[in-house]
Amino acid sequence: MPRHKAFDQINIMKDAMYLFWKRGFYHTSIQDLVKYLGVNRASLYDTYGDKETLFLRCFEMYKKEQIALVYDIFNKHEDPKKGLKELFEFVLNKICSDPEKKGDFISNTLSEIPPNNSSINLYLEETKDEAIQLLESYLKKGQKKGHISTEKNIKGIAHSILATAIGSTMLSRIGKPSQKLKENLFNNLDIILS
């Protein structure tokens, strides 16, 4: 008869994601995970594999949640300027109101992982490509509807928006006031999209 897992795998993943998000991949040990999650080491390895596999599963779960959020907001706004402003206002409000100043899980990972960690960097590269494609698609729709000049380089705009968003989420970790971050981000969006 197979053994039943003595824990809720979804909640364990969410808790593990929180710990990685707060402390980072390299500053979170297996022992930290075992203690924080309240599971034994053998069960953790048996269910999730090693620390990196667990981290990548947490990263993928977070990414899917964020993509769903982006689609929801973009589907409400035909004009990319309005959709992007709502998205960034939502994100900045969320991360700036976090008393632990965790920032954004993906941006934190980008800043922490060195280039020699090929498996995590592969995930980061795929995530960047997905974000660029999502932005390009949204911007092209806006361009077809007349919200963005046909003279604009959509690929370049998508890259600029992503870089601005990542920079803003990283700045939120050092306690920059959310209103100032919003003003800076919105000014950059206006410049990029005008």
Side-chain angles (χ1 to χ4, degrees), residues 67-171:
I67 288 172
L69 170 82
V70 170
Y71 274 119
D72 286 346
I73 291 173
F74 284 1
N75 286 332
K76 290 189 325 190
H77 299 282
E78 193 176 85
D79 182 347
K81 293 173 191 172
K82 291 179 182 174
L84 288 165
K85 283 186 177 182
E86 181 180 330
L87 173 65
F88 293 132
E89 185 159 358
F90 174 84
V91 170
L92 286 176
N93 284 340
K94 185 174 178 184
I95 60 180
C96 288
S97 65
D98 178 3
E100 297 178 275
K101 299 287 184 218
K102 292 187 307 294
D104 171 71
F105 189 41
I106 294 171
S107 297
N108 294 357
T109 303
L110 276 168
S111 68
E112 178 193 18
I113 303 299
N116 64 353
N117 187 317
S118 59
S119 57
I120 295 177
N121 275 311
L122 178 64
Y123 266 74
L124 289 169
E125 188 67 32
E126 288 172 359
T127 301
K128 180 197 71 142
D129 291 345
E130 287 174 42
I132 294 297
Q133 288 172 0
L134 178 62
L135 285 167
E136 279 186 57
S137 173
Y138 186 51
L139 293 166
K140 283 178 184 175
K141 286 179 189 173
Q143 196 173 46
K144 285 180 184 173
K145 298 280 187 176
H147 298 290
I148 300 173
S149 166
T150 56
E151 308 283 315
K152 291 289 188 176
N153 173 349
I154 296 299
K155 188 175 208 62
I157 291 172
H159 281 273
S160 294
I161 290 170
L162 183 61
T164 300
I166 290 168
S168 295
T169 59
M170 288 181 171
L171 284 172

Side-chain angles (χ1 to χ4, degrees), residues 26 44 47 58 61 69-70 97 104 107 122 149 167 173 178 181:
Y26 289 112
L44 194 64
T47 305
C58 292
M61 180 175 69
L69 170 82
V70 170
S97 65
D104 171 71
S107 297
L122 178 64
S149 166
R173 295 191 74 195
S178 64
L181 271 175

Side-chain angles (χ1 to χ4, degrees), residues 48 53 57 91 169:
Y48 301 105
T53 303
R57 287 178 68 182
V91 170
T169 59

